[in-house]
Amino acid sequence: MSVYLELCEILGISLNEFLAGEDIEVTNVEKKSEDTLIQISKDSSHKQRYLKKIIAVLLIAVGVFAITLGIMVCNKLRQPQNYIEAVDPDSVEMKTAELLSGF
């Protein structure tokens, strides 16, 4: 807002004329000021609603992503971890097993 005021001083116009985008006659200053303020407040409320919608969509997307990631991690952790590794037939373990089994 302070930049607008400085710009208006440089241009030699009022803030109302700057916001309205046109020269305002002295007799219409009050009416034009009210119209400009109403328009600015409408634009601001539209932008706020738009930003709220964007934030809601982003929150939903982040929530879905977090839930999906959580499900994937839980499924990965639930998978059985038991497995058998192949042992070299000439290893000490295999020789011991052969001796104990009687082969």
Side-chain angles (χ1 to χ4, degrees), residues 12-99:
I13 60 174
S14 70
L15 183 60
N16 291 327
E17 290 174 320
F18 177 76
L19 294 175
E22 60 184 342
D23 289 335
I24 301 173
E25 296 178 20
V26 176
T27 57
N28 295 332
V29 170
E30 188 174 325
K31 172 74 170 122
K32 195 64 172 176
S33 297
E34 289 175 4
D35 292 343
T36 303
L37 288 175
I38 290 171
Q39 185 61 37
I40 290 172
S41 66
K42 284 180 182 178
D43 290 345
S44 176
S45 65
H46 289 299
K47 287 179 183 178
Q48 285 178 354
R49 277 189 252 133
Y50 180 71
L51 287 174
K52 286 179 182 178
K53 288 178 185 178
I54 289 175
I55 290 171
V57 168
L58 287 175
L59 286 175
I60 291 170
V62 167
V64 168
F65 176 74
I67 290 171
T68 304
L69 184 63
I71 290 171
M72 289 172 53
V73 168
C74 287
N75 285 340
K76 183 70 173 169
L77 293 175
R78 287 184 189 162
Q79 289 179 351
Q81 299 296 320
N82 299 338
Y83 56 90
I84 300 172
E85 288 185 28
V87 180
D88 184 21
D90 296 327
S91 68
V92 175
E93 291 88 7
M94 285 302 288
K95 297 289 184 190
T96 306
E98 288 174 2
L99 287 172

Coordinates of all heavy atoms in Angstrom, one line a residue, residues 12-99:
G12 N 0.9 12.4 -9.4 CA 0.0 13.5 -9.1 C -1.5 13.2 -9.1 O -2.3 14.0 -9.6
I13 N -1.8 12.0 -8.7 CA -3.2 11.6 -8.7 C -3.6 11.1 -7.3 O -2.7 10.8 -6.5 CB -3.5 10.4 -9.7 CG1 -2.6 9.2 -9.5 CG2 -3.3 11.0 -11.2 CD1 -2.9 8.0 -10.4
S14 N -4.9 10.9 -7.1 CA -5.3 10.4 -5.8 C -5.2 8.8 -5.8 O -5.2 8.2 -6.9 CB -6.7 10.9 -5.4 OG -7.6 10.2 -6.3
L15 N -5.3 8.3 -4.6 CA -5.3 6.8 -4.5 C -6.6 6.2 -5.2 O -6.5 5.2 -5.8 CB -5.2 6.4 -3.1 CG -5.1 4.9 -2.8 CD1 -3.9 4.3 -3.5 CD2 -5.0 4.6 -1.3
N16 N -7.7 6.9 -5.0 CA -8.9 6.5 -5.6 C -8.8 6.5 -7.1 O -9.3 5.5 -7.8 CB -10.1 7.4 -5.2 CG -10.4 7.2 -3.7 OD1 -10.3 6.1 -3.2 ND2 -10.8 8.3 -3.1
E17 N -8.2 7.5 -7.7 CA -8.0 7.5 -9.1 C -7.1 6.4 -9.6 O -7.4 5.7 -10.6 CB -7.5 8.9 -9.6 CG -8.5 10.0 -9.4 CD -7.8 11.3 -9.7 OE1 -6.7 11.6 -9.4 OE2 -8.5 12.2 -10.4
F18 N -6.1 6.1 -8.8 CA -5.2 5.0 -9.2 C -5.9 3.7 -9.1 O -5.8 2.9 -10.1 CB -4.0 5.0 -8.2 CG -3.0 3.9 -8.4 CD1 -2.1 4.0 -9.4 CD2 -3.0 2.8 -7.6 CE1 -1.2 3.0 -9.6 CE2 -2.1 1.8 -7.8 CZ -1.2 1.9 -8.8
L19 N -6.7 3.4 -8.1 CA -7.4 2.1 -8.0 C -8.5 2.0 -9.0 O -8.8 0.9 -9.5 CB -7.9 2.0 -6.6 CG -6.9 1.8 -5.5 CD1 -7.5 1.8 -4.1 CD2 -6.0 0.6 -5.7
A20 N -9.1 3.1 -9.3 CA -10.2 3.1 -10.3 C -9.7 3.0 -11.7 O -10.4 2.5 -12.6 CB -11.1 4.3 -10.1
G21 N -8.5 3.5 -11.9 CA -7.9 3.4 -13.3 C -8.4 4.5 -14.2 O -8.3 4.4 -15.4
E22 N -8.9 5.5 -13.6 CA -9.4 6.6 -14.4 C -9.5 7.9 -13.6 O -9.4 7.9 -12.4 CB -10.9 6.3 -14.9 CG -11.9 6.1 -13.8 CD -13.2 5.7 -14.3 OE1 -13.5 5.9 -15.5 OE2 -14.0 5.2 -13.5
D23 N -9.6 9.0 -14.3 CA -9.7 10.3 -13.6 C -11.1 10.4 -13.0 O -12.1 10.0 -13.7 CB -9.5 11.5 -14.6 CG -8.0 11.6 -15.0 OD1 -7.2 11.2 -14.3 OD2 -7.8 12.2 -16.1
I24 N -11.2 10.9 -11.8 CA -12.5 11.0 -11.1 C -12.8 12.5 -10.9 O -11.9 13.3 -10.4 CB -12.4 10.3 -9.8 CG1 -12.1 8.8 -10.0 CG2 -13.7 10.5 -9.0 CD1 -11.9 8.1 -8.7
E25 N -14.0 12.9 -11.3 CA -14.4 14.3 -11.1 C -14.6 14.5 -9.6 O -15.0 13.6 -8.9 CB -15.7 14.6 -11.9 CG -15.5 14.5 -13.4 CD -16.8 14.7 -14.1 OE1 -17.7 15.3 -13.5 OE2 -16.9 14.3 -15.2
V26 N -14.4 15.7 -9.2 CA -14.5 16.1 -7.8 C -15.9 15.7 -7.2 O -16.1 15.3 -6.1 CB -14.2 17.6 -7.6 CG1 -14.4 18.0 -6.1 CG2 -12.8 17.9 -8.0
T27 N -17.0 15.9 -8.1 CA -18.3 15.6 -7.6 C -18.6 14.1 -7.4 O -19.5 13.7 -6.7 CB -19.3 16.2 -8.6 OG1 -19.1 15.6 -9.9 CG2 -19.3 17.7 -8.7
N28 N -17.8 13.3 -8.1 CA -18.0 11.8 -8.1 C -17.0 11.1 -7.2 O -17.0 9.9 -7.2 CB -18.0 11.2 -9.5 CG -19.1 11.7 -10.3 OD1 -20.2 12.1 -9.8 ND2 -18.9 11.8 -11.6
V29 N -16.2 11.8 -6.5 CA -15.1 11.2 -5.7 C -15.7 10.2 -4.7 O -15.2 9.1 -4.6 CB -14.2 12.2 -5.0 CG1 -13.2 11.6 -4.1 CG2 -13.5 13.0 -6.1
E30 N -16.7 10.6 -3.9 CA -17.2 9.8 -2.8 C -17.8 8.5 -3.4 O -17.6 7.4 -2.9 CB -18.2 10.6 -2.0 CG -18.6 9.8 -0.8 CD -19.5 10.7 0.1 OE1 -19.3 11.9 0.2 OE2 -20.4 10.1 0.8
K31 N -18.6 8.7 -4.4 CA -19.3 7.5 -5.0 C -18.3 6.5 -5.6 O -18.4 5.3 -5.4 CB -20.3 8.0 -6.1 CG -20.9 6.9 -6.9 CD -22.0 6.1 -6.1 CE -22.8 5.2 -7.1 NZ -22.7 3.9 -6.7
K32 N -17.4 7.1 -6.3 CA -16.4 6.3 -7.0 C -15.5 5.6 -6.0 O -15.1 4.4 -6.1 CB -15.5 7.1 -7.9 CG -14.7 6.3 -8.9 CD -15.6 5.5 -9.8 CE -14.8 4.9 -10.9 NZ -15.5 4.0 -11.8
S33 N -15.2 6.3 -4.9 CA -14.4 5.7 -3.8 C -15.1 4.5 -3.2 O -14.5 3.4 -2.9 CB -14.1 6.7 -2.7 OG -13.3 7.7 -3.2
E34 N -16.4 4.6 -2.9 CA -17.2 3.5 -2.4 C -17.2 2.3 -3.3 O -17.0 1.2 -2.9 CB -18.6 4.0 -2.1 CG -18.7 4.9 -0.9 CD -20.1 5.4 -0.7 OE1 -21.1 5.0 -1.5 OE2 -20.3 6.3 0.1
D35 N -17.4 2.6 -4.6 CA -17.5 1.5 -5.6 C -16.1 0.8 -5.7 O -16.1 -0.4 -5.8 CB -17.8 2.1 -7.0 CG -19.3 2.6 -7.1 OD1 -20.1 2.2 -6.2 OD2 -19.6 3.4 -8.0
T36 N -15.1 1.6 -5.7 CA -13.7 1.0 -5.7 C -13.5 0.1 -4.5 O -12.9 -1.0 -4.6 CB -12.6 2.1 -5.8 OG1 -12.9 2.9 -7.0 CG2 -11.3 1.5 -6.0
L37 N -13.8 0.6 -3.3 CA -13.6 -0.2 -2.1 C -14.4 -1.5 -2.1 O -14.0 -2.6 -1.7 CB -13.9 0.6 -0.9 CG -12.9 1.7 -0.5 CD1 -13.4 2.6 0.6 CD2 -11.6 1.1 -0.2
I38 N -15.7 -1.4 -2.6 CA -16.5 -2.6 -2.7 C -15.9 -3.6 -3.7 O -15.8 -4.8 -3.4 CB -17.9 -2.2 -3.1 CG1 -18.6 -1.4 -2.0 CG2 -18.8 -3.4 -3.5 CD1 -20.0 -0.8 -2.4
Q39 N -15.4 -3.1 -4.8 CA -14.8 -4.0 -5.8 C -13.5 -4.7 -5.2 O -13.3 -5.9 -5.4 CB -14.5 -3.3 -7.1 CG -14.0 -4.2 -8.2 CD -15.0 -5.2 -8.6 OE1 -16.2 -5.0 -8.6 NE2 -14.5 -6.4 -8.9
I40 N -12.7 -3.9 -4.5 CA -11.5 -4.5 -3.9 C -11.8 -5.5 -2.9 O -11.2 -6.6 -2.8 CB -10.6 -3.3 -3.3 CG1 -10.1 -2.5 -4.4 CG2 -9.5 -3.9 -2.4 CD1 -9.4 -1.2 -3.9
S41 N -12.8 -5.3 -2.1 CA -13.2 -6.3 -1.1 C -13.8 -7.5 -1.7 O -13.5 -8.6 -1.2 CB -14.2 -5.7 -0.1 OG -15.4 -5.4 -0.7
K42 N -14.5 -7.4 -2.8 CA -15.1 -8.6 -3.5 C -13.9 -9.4 -4.1 O -13.9 -10.6 -4.0 CB -16.0 -8.2 -4.6 CG -17.4 -7.7 -4.1 CD -18.3 -7.3 -5.3 CE -19.6 -6.9 -4.8 NZ -20.5 -6.4 -6.0
D43 N -13.0 -8.7 -4.7 CA -11.8 -9.4 -5.3 C -11.0 -10.1 -4.2 O -10.6 -11.3 -4.4 CB -10.9 -8.4 -6.0 CG -11.5 -7.9 -7.3 OD1 -12.5 -8.5 -7.8 OD2 -11.0 -6.9 -7.8
S44 N -10.9 -9.5 -3.1 CA -10.1 -10.1 -2.0 C -10.8 -11.3 -1.5 O -10.2 -12.4 -1.2 CB -9.9 -9.1 -0.9 OG -9.3 -9.7 0.2
S45 N -12.2 -11.3 -1.3 CA -12.9 -12.5 -0.8 C -12.9 -13.6 -1.8 O -12.8 -14.8 -1.4 CB -14.3 -12.1 -0.4 OG -15.0 -11.7 -1.6
H46 N -12.9 -13.3 -3.1 CA -12.8 -14.3 -4.1 C -11.5 -15.0 -4.1 O -11.4 -16.2 -4.2 CB -13.0 -13.8 -5.5 CG -14.4 -13.4 -5.8 ND1 -15.5 -14.2 -5.8 CD2 -15.0 -12.2 -6.1 CE1 -16.6 -13.6 -6.1 NE2 -16.3 -12.3 -6.3
K47 N -10.4 -14.2 -3.9 CA -9.1 -14.8 -3.8 C -8.9 -15.7 -2.6 O -8.3 -16.7 -2.6 CB -8.0 -13.7 -3.8 CG -7.8 -13.0 -5.2 CD -6.8 -11.9 -5.2 CE -6.7 -11.3 -6.5 NZ -5.7 -10.1 -6.5
Q48 N -9.5 -15.2 -1.5 CA -9.4 -16.0 -0.2 C -10.1 -17.3 -0.4 O -9.6 -18.4 0.0 CB -10.0 -15.2 0.9 CG -9.2 -14.1 1.4 CD -9.8 -13.3 2.5 OE1 -11.0 -13.5 2.9 NE2 -9.1 -12.4 3.1
R49 N -11.3 -17.3 -1.0 CA -12.0 -18.6 -1.3 C -11.2 -19.5 -2.2 O -11.1 -20.7 -1.9 CB -13.4 -18.3 -1.8 CG -14.4 -18.0 -0.8 CD -15.8 -18.0 -1.3 NE -16.2 -16.5 -1.4 CZ -16.7 -15.9 -2.4 NH1 -17.0 -16.5 -3.5 NH2 -17.0 -14.6 -2.3
Y50 N -10.6 -19.0 -3.2 CA -9.8 -19.7 -4.1 C -8.6 -20.4 -3.4 O -8.3 -21.6 -3.6 CB -9.3 -18.9 -5.3 CG -8.5 -19.6 -6.3 CD1 -9.1 -20.5 -7.2 CD2 -7.1 -19.3 -6.4 CE1 -8.3 -21.1 -8.1 CE2 -6.4 -19.9 -7.4 CZ -6.9 -20.9 -8.2 OH -6.2 -21.5 -9.1
L51 N -7.9 -19.6 -2.6 CA -6.8 -20.1 -1.8 C -7.2 -21.2 -0.8 O -6.5 -22.2 -0.6 CB -6.1 -19.0 -1.1 CG -5.2 -18.0 -2.0 CD1 -4.7 -16.9 -1.2 CD2 -4.1 -18.8 -2.7
K52 N -8.4 -21.0 -0.2 CA -8.9 -22.0 0.7 C -9.1 -23.3 0.0 O -8.8 -24.4 0.5 CB -10.1 -21.5 1.4 CG -9.8 -20.5 2.5 CD -11.1 -20.0 3.1 CE -10.8 -18.9 4.2 NZ -12.1 -18.4 4.8
K53 N -9.7 -23.3 -1.2 CA -9.9 -24.5 -2.0 C -8.6 -25.1 -2.4 O -8.5 -26.4 -2.3 CB -10.7 -24.1 -3.3 CG -12.1 -23.8 -3.0 CD -12.9 -23.4 -4.3 CE -14.3 -22.9 -4.0 NZ -15.0 -22.5 -5.3
I54 N -7.6 -24.4 -2.8 CA -6.3 -24.9 -3.1 C -5.7 -25.6 -1.9 O -5.2 -26.7 -2.0 CB -5.4 -23.8 -3.7 CG1 -5.8 -23.4 -5.1 CG2 -3.9 -24.3 -3.7 CD1 -5.1 -22.3 -5.7
I55 N -5.8 -25.0 -0.7 CA -5.2 -25.6 0.5 C -5.9 -26.9 0.8 O -5.3 -27.9 1.2 CB -5.3 -24.5 1.6 CG1 -4.3 -23.4 1.4 CG2 -5.0 -25.2 3.0 CD1 -4.4 -22.2 2.3
A56 N -7.3 -26.9 0.7 CA -8.0 -28.1 1.0 C -7.6 -29.2 0.1 O -7.4 -30.4 0.5 CB -9.5 -27.8 0.9
V57 N -7.5 -28.9 -1.2 CA -7.1 -30.0 -2.2 C -5.7 -30.5 -1.9 O -5.4 -31.7 -1.9 CB -7.2 -29.4 -3.6 CG1 -6.5 -30.4 -4.6 CG2 -8.6 -29.2 -4.0
L58 N -4.8 -29.6 -1.5 CA -3.4 -30.0 -1.2 C -3.4 -30.9 0.1 O -2.7 -31.9 0.2 CB -2.5 -28.8 -1.0 CG -2.1 -28.1 -2.3 CD1 -1.3 -26.8 -2.0 CD2 -1.3 -29.0 -3.2
L59 N -4.2 -30.5 1.1 CA -4.2 -31.3 2.3 C -4.8 -32.7 2.0 O -4.3 -33.7 2.6 CB -5.1 -30.6 3.4 CG -4.4 -29.4 4.0 CD1 -5.4 -28.7 4.9 CD2 -3.2 -29.8 4.8
I60 N -5.8 -32.8 1.2 CA -6.4 -34.1 0.8 C -5.3 -34.9 0.1 O -5.2 -36.1 0.4 CB -7.7 -33.9 0.0 CG1 -8.8 -33.3 0.9 CG2 -8.1 -35.2 -0.6 CD1 -10.0 -32.9 0.1
A61 N -4.6 -34.3 -0.8 CA -3.6 -35.0 -1.6 C -2.5 -35.5 -0.7 O -2.0 -36.7 -0.8 CB -3.0 -34.1 -2.7
V62 N -2.1 -34.7 0.2 CA -1.0 -35.1 1.2 C -1.5 -36.2 2.1 O -0.8 -37.2 2.4 CB -0.5 -33.9 2.0 CG1 0.3 -34.3 3.2 CG2 0.3 -32.9 1.1
G63 N -2.8 -36.1 2.5 CA -3.4 -37.2 3.3 C -3.4 -38.5 2.6 O -3.1 -39.5 3.2
V64 N -3.9 -38.5 1.4 CA -4.0 -39.7 0.6 C -2.6 -40.3 0.4 O -2.4 -41.5 0.5 CB -4.6 -39.4 -0.8 CG1 -4.5 -40.6 -1.7 CG2 -6.1 -39.1 -0.6
F65 N -1.6 -39.4 0.1 CA -0.2 -39.9 -0.1 C 0.3 -40.5 1.2 O 1.0 -41.6 1.2 CB 0.7 -38.7 -0.5 CG 2.1 -39.1 -0.6 CD1 2.6 -39.8 -1.7 CD2 3.0 -38.7 0.4 CE1 3.9 -40.2 -1.8 CE2 4.4 -39.0 0.3 CZ 4.8 -39.8 -0.8
A66 N 0.1 -39.9 2.4 CA 0.5 -40.4 3.6 C -0.1 -41.8 4.0 O 0.6 -42.7 4.4 CB 0.3 -39.4 4.8
I67 N -1.4 -41.9 3.7 CA -2.1 -43.1 4.0 C -1.5 -44.2 3.1 O -1.3 -45.4 3.5 CB -3.6 -43.0 3.8 CG1 -4.2 -42.1 4.9 CG2 -4.3 -44.3 3.8 CD1 -5.6 -41.7 4.8
T68 N -1.4 -43.9 1.8 CA -0.8 -44.9 0.8 C 0.6 -45.3 1.2 O 0.9 -46.5 1.2 CB -0.8 -44.3 -0.6 OG1 -2.1 -43.9 -0.9 CG2 -0.3 -45.3 -1.6
L69 N 1.4 -44.4 1.6 CA 2.8 -44.7 2.0 C 2.7 -45.6 3.3 O 3.5 -46.5 3.4 CB 3.5 -43.4 2.3 CG 5.0 -43.6 2.6 CD1 5.8 -44.3 1.5 CD2 5.6 -42.2 3.0
G70 N 1.9 -45.2 4.2 CA 1.7 -46.0 5.5 C 1.3 -47.5 5.2 O 1.8 -48.4 5.8
I71 N 0.3 -47.6 4.3 CA -0.1 -49.0 3.9 C 1.0 -49.8 3.3 O 1.2 -51.0 3.6 CB -1.3 -48.9 3.0 CG1 -2.5 -48.4 3.7 CG2 -1.6 -50.2 2.3 CD1 -3.7 -48.1 2.9
M72 N 1.8 -49.1 2.4 CA 2.9 -49.8 1.7 C 4.0 -50.2 2.7 O 4.5 -51.4 2.7 CB 3.5 -48.9 0.7 CG 2.6 -48.7 -0.6 SD 3.2 -47.5 -1.7 CE 4.9 -48.0 -2.1
V73 N 4.3 -49.4 3.7 CA 5.3 -49.7 4.7 C 4.8 -50.8 5.6 O 5.5 -51.8 5.9 CB 5.6 -48.5 5.5 CG1 6.4 -48.8 6.8 CG2 6.4 -47.5 4.7
C74 N 3.5 -50.8 6.0 CA 2.9 -51.9 6.8 C 3.0 -53.2 6.1 O 3.3 -54.2 6.7 CB 1.5 -51.5 7.3 SG 1.5 -50.2 8.5
N75 N 2.6 -53.2 4.8 CA 2.6 -54.4 4.0 C 4.0 -55.0 3.9 O 4.2 -56.2 4.0 CB 2.0 -54.2 2.7 CG 0.5 -54.1 2.7 OD1 -0.1 -54.5 3.7 ND2 -0.1 -53.5 1.7
K76 N 5.0 -54.1 3.7 CA 6.4 -54.5 3.6 C 6.9 -55.1 4.9 O 7.6 -56.2 4.9 CB 7.2 -53.3 3.2 CG 8.7 -53.7 3.0 CD 8.8 -54.5 1.7 CE 10.3 -54.7 1.5 NZ 10.6 -55.7 0.4
L77 N 6.5 -54.6 6.0 CA 6.9 -55.1 7.3 C 6.2 -56.4 7.7 O 6.7 -57.2 8.4 CB 6.6 -54.0 8.4 CG 7.5 -52.8 8.3 CD1 7.0 -51.8 9.4 CD2 9.0 -53.1 8.5
R78 N 5.0 -56.6 7.2 CA 4.2 -57.8 7.5 C 4.7 -59.0 6.6 O 4.4 -60.2 7.0 CB 2.8 -57.6 7.2 CG 2.1 -56.7 8.2 CD 0.6 -56.6 8.0 NE 0.0 -55.6 8.8 CZ -1.1 -55.1 8.6 NH1 -1.8 -55.4 7.6 NH2 -1.6 -54.2 9.5
Q79 N 5.5 -58.8 5.6 CA 5.9 -59.9 4.8 C 6.8 -60.8 5.6 O 7.6 -60.3 6.4 CB 6.6 -59.4 3.5 CG 5.7 -58.8 2.5 CD 6.5 -58.3 1.3 OE1 7.7 -58.3 1.3 NE2 5.8 -57.9 0.3
P80 N 6.7 -62.1 5.4 CA 7.6 -63.0 6.2 C 9.1 -62.8 5.9 O 9.4 -62.5 4.7 CB 7.2 -64.4 5.7 CG 6.4 -64.2 4.5 CD 5.9 -62.8 4.5
Q81 N 9.9 -62.9 6.9 CA 11.3 -62.6 6.8 C 12.1 -63.9 6.8 O 13.3 -63.9 6.9 CB 11.8 -61.7 7.9 CG 11.1 -60.3 7.9 CD 11.4 -59.5 6.6 OE1 12.5 -59.5 6.1 NE2 10.4 -58.8 6.0
N82 N 11.4 -65.0 6.9 CA 12.1 -66.3 6.9 C 12.5 -66.8 5.5 O 11.6 -66.8 4.6 CB 11.2 -67.4 7.5 CG 10.8 -67.1 8.9 OD1 11.4 -66.3 9.6 ND2 9.7 -67.6 9.4
Y83 N 13.7 -67.1 5.4 CA 14.2 -67.6 4.1 C 15.4 -68.4 4.3 O 16.1 -68.3 5.4 CB 14.5 -66.4 3.1 CG 15.5 -65.4 3.6 CD1 16.8 -65.6 3.4 CD2 15.0 -64.3 4.4 CE1 17.7 -64.7 3.9 CE2 15.9 -63.4 4.8 CZ 17.3 -63.6 4.6 OH 18.2 -62.7 5.1
I84 N 15.7 -69.3 3.4 CA 16.9 -70.2 3.5 C 17.9 -69.7 2.5 O 17.6 -69.6 1.3 CB 16.4 -71.6 3.2 CG1 15.4 -72.0 4.3 CG2 17.6 -72.5 3.3 CD1 14.8 -73.4 4.0
E85 N 19.1 -69.6 3.0 CA 20.2 -69.3 2.1 C 20.9 -70.5 1.6 O 21.0 -71.5 2.4 CB 21.3 -68.4 2.8 CG 20.8 -67.0 3.1 CD 21.9 -66.1 3.7 OE1 23.1 -66.4 3.4 OE2 21.6 -65.2 4.4
A86 N 21.3 -70.5 0.4 CA 22.1 -71.7 -0.1 C 23.4 -71.8 0.6 O 24.1 -70.7 0.8 CB 22.3 -71.6 -1.6
V87 N 23.8 -73.0 0.9 CA 25.1 -73.2 1.6 C 26.0 -73.9 0.6 O 25.6 -74.8 -0.1 CB 24.9 -74.0 2.9 CG1 26.2 -74.2 3.6 CG2 23.9 -73.3 3.8
D88 N 27.3 -73.5 0.6 CA 28.3 -74.1 -0.2 C 28.4 -75.6 0.2 O 28.6 -75.9 1.4 CB 29.6 -73.4 -0.1 CG 30.7 -73.9 -1.0 OD1 30.3 -74.6 -2.0 OD2 31.9 -73.7 -0.7
P89 N 28.4 -76.6 -0.7 CA 28.5 -78.0 -0.4 C 29.8 -78.4 0.3 O 29.9 -79.3 1.0 CB 28.3 -78.7 -1.7 CG 27.8 -77.8 -2.7 CD 28.1 -76.4 -2.2
D90 N 30.8 -77.6 0.1 CA 32.2 -77.9 0.7 C 32.4 -77.1 1.9 O 33.5 -77.2 2.5 CB 33.3 -77.6 -0.4 CG 33.2 -78.4 -1.6 OD1 32.8 -79.6 -1.5 OD2 33.5 -77.9 -2.7
S91 N 31.4 -76.4 2.5 CA 31.6 -75.7 3.7 C 31.6 -76.5 4.9 O 31.2 -77.7 4.9 CB 30.5 -74.6 3.8 OG 29.2 -75.3 4.1
V92 N 32.1 -76.0 6.0 CA 32.2 -76.7 7.3 C 30.8 -77.1 7.7 O 30.6 -78.2 8.2 CB 32.9 -75.8 8.3 CG1 32.9 -76.5 9.7 CG2 34.3 -75.4 7.9
E93 N 29.8 -76.3 7.5 CA 28.5 -76.6 8.0 C 27.9 -77.8 7.3 O 27.3 -78.7 7.9 CB 27.5 -75.4 7.7 CG 27.8 -74.2 8.6 CD 28.8 -73.3 8.0 OE1 29.2 -73.5 6.8 OE2 29.2 -72.3 8.6
M94 N 28.2 -77.9 5.9 CA 27.7 -79.1 5.2 C 28.4 -80.3 5.6 O 27.8 -81.4 5.7 CB 27.8 -78.8 3.7 CG 26.8 -77.9 3.1 SD 25.1 -78.4 3.4 CE 25.0 -79.7 2.2
K95 N 29.7 -80.3 5.8 CA 30.5 -81.4 6.3 C 30.0 -81.9 7.6 O 29.8 -83.1 7.8 CB 32.0 -81.1 6.4 CG 32.6 -80.6 5.1 CD 32.8 -81.8 4.1 CE 33.5 -81.3 2.9 NZ 33.5 -82.3 1.8
T96 N 29.7 -81.0 8.5 CA 29.2 -81.4 9.8 C 27.8 -82.0 9.7 O 27.5 -83.0 10.3 CB 29.1 -80.1 10.7 OG1 30.3 -79.5 10.8 CG2 28.6 -80.5 12.1
A97 N 26.9 -81.5 8.8 CA 25.6 -82.0 8.6 C 25.7 -83.4 8.0 O 24.9 -84.3 8.4 CB 24.8 -81.1 7.7
E98 N 26.6 -83.6 7.1 CA 26.8 -85.0 6.5 C 27.3 -86.0 7.5 O 26.8 -87.1 7.6 CB 27.8 -84.9 5.3 CG 27.3 -84.2 4.1 CD 28.4 -84.0 3.0 OE1 29.6 -84.5 3.2 OE2 28.1 -83.4 2.0
L99 N 28.2 -85.6 8.4 CA 28.7 -86.5 9.5 C 27.5 -86.8 10.4 O 27.4 -88.0 10.8 CB 29.8 -85.8 10.2 CG 31.2 -85.8 9.5 CD1 32.2 -85.0 10.3 CD2 31.7 -87.2 9.2

